Amino acid sequence: MKLLVLGATGPTGRHLVDLAVRSGDSVTALVRNPAGLGDLVDKVTPVTGDATSRRDIAAALAGHDAIVSALGRGNSVRADGLFSRASAAVTEAARETGVSRLVWLSSFGVGHTFDWSSTPQKLIYSTLLRSLYADKVIADDGIRSSGLDWTVVLPTRLTHGPAKGAYLADDRLPMKGNPSISRADVAAFMHRAAHGAEWIHRSPVITD
């Protein structure tokens, strides 16, 4: 399968790229700086570009089977429009190039899943993460109305732990406490979702 990966140099994206390469996929990574791919740079096709640019995405996307986005803001709690601008660029580029499959990383607590959160979670989502989550709402809603074969993935708190290979994934998973899931397991789920039809037009919550 030919995958275009956004956010390939981030902590979840690197897991995703590594898994895709080991699985035999042909991977193109749209990145601002190919050096950020580290030892993966020789195993993929790096394309220098901006994930919020329709033109850059469309140029990289032609001839691929799917887009998988693991874009994130690192340690920043301000969105600066990254997710809303990137989702608009991605959906426009996908329509332009005829690539319909899109797997998009969001977060548990965004949009309709806010009501399923615990009280402590709601406090964090509505204060510290307010900017990020408000922008993700715009992005996710745009993707769901895009007409593409989308999957919006909603993981709980991300950790840097090893993949367990076992996790819960469902359209509705009300939470207690502060559940988490490793970035490695999230990457594995996204990779599997891109290769199948089970999660098309669905927004799975995933957690350990």
Side-chain angles (χ1 to χ4, degrees), residues 37-71:
L37 290 165
D39 59 348
L40 293 172
V41 71
D42 295 325
K43 301 176 183 179
V44 304
T45 301
V47 176
T48 303
D50 184 346
T52 66
S53 165
R54 175 202 57 78
R55 180 179 299 177
D56 288 354
I57 295 173
L61 183 57
H64 288 70
D65 299 306
I67 313 163
V68 185
S69 173
L71 289 170

Side-chain angles (χ1 to χ4, degrees), residues 2-3 9 11 15 32 42 48 51 57-58 60-61 63 67 74 90 97 99 126 142-143 148 150 177 182-183 200 203:
K2 294 183 177 181
L3 301 177
T9 61
H15 282 296
R32 288 185 178 274
D42 295 325
T48 303
I57 295 173
L61 183 57
I67 313 163
V90 166
T97 57
V99 178
S126 60
I143 288 168
L148 301 176
W150 53 265
S182 73
R183 294 178 182 276
I200 290 176
S203 301

Side-chain angles (χ1 to χ4, degrees), residues 85-207:
R85 290 185 292 122
S87 69
V90 166
T91 54
E92 291 170 9
R95 294 191 198 102
E96 181 180 325
T97 57
V99 178
S100 64
R101 188 70 179 104
L102 169 62
V103 179
W104 181 268
L105 179 62
S106 184
S107 299
F108 177 74
V110 172
H112 64 284
T113 61
F114 180 85
D115 291 336
W116 307 342
S117 310
S118 65
T119 299
Q121 284 177 312
K122 287 178 179 177
L123 180 61
I124 294 172
Y125 299 157
S126 60
T127 55
L128 180 65
L129 301 180
R130 180 177 180 179
S131 171
L132 289 173
Y133 276 33
D135 197 51
K136 288 185 176 187
V137 167
I138 297 171
D140 295 1
D141 287 349
I143 288 168
R144 293 188 183 103
S145 64
S146 66
L148 301 176
D149 292 330
W150 53 265
T151 301
V152 175
V153 182
L154 302 162
T156 55
R157 182 173 56 85
L158 295 171
T159 74
H160 295 288
K164 295 181 178 179
Y167 45 79
L168 300 174
D170 207 337
D171 297 294
R172 182 181 177 88
L173 282 176
M175 298 296 165
K176 294 181 180 180
N178 187 24
S180 64
I181 185 169
S182 73
R183 294 178 182 276
D185 276 328
V186 172
F189 177 84
M190 294 176 69
H191 182 255
R192 181 167 65 87
H195 279 260
E198 178 183 1
W199 296 102
I200 290 176
H201 297 156
R202 296 173 68 183
S203 301
V205 176
I206 58 173
T207 193

Side-chain angles (χ1 to χ4, degrees), residues 13-44:
R14 284 186 58 83
H15 282 296
L16 177 61
V17 171
D18 182 60
L19 177 59
V21 168
R22 287 190 284 110
S23 300
D25 292 327
S26 174
V27 178
T28 299
L30 181 69
V31 294
R32 288 185 178 274
N33 181 8
L37 290 165
D39 59 348
L40 293 172
V41 71
D42 295 325
K43 301 176 183 179
V44 304

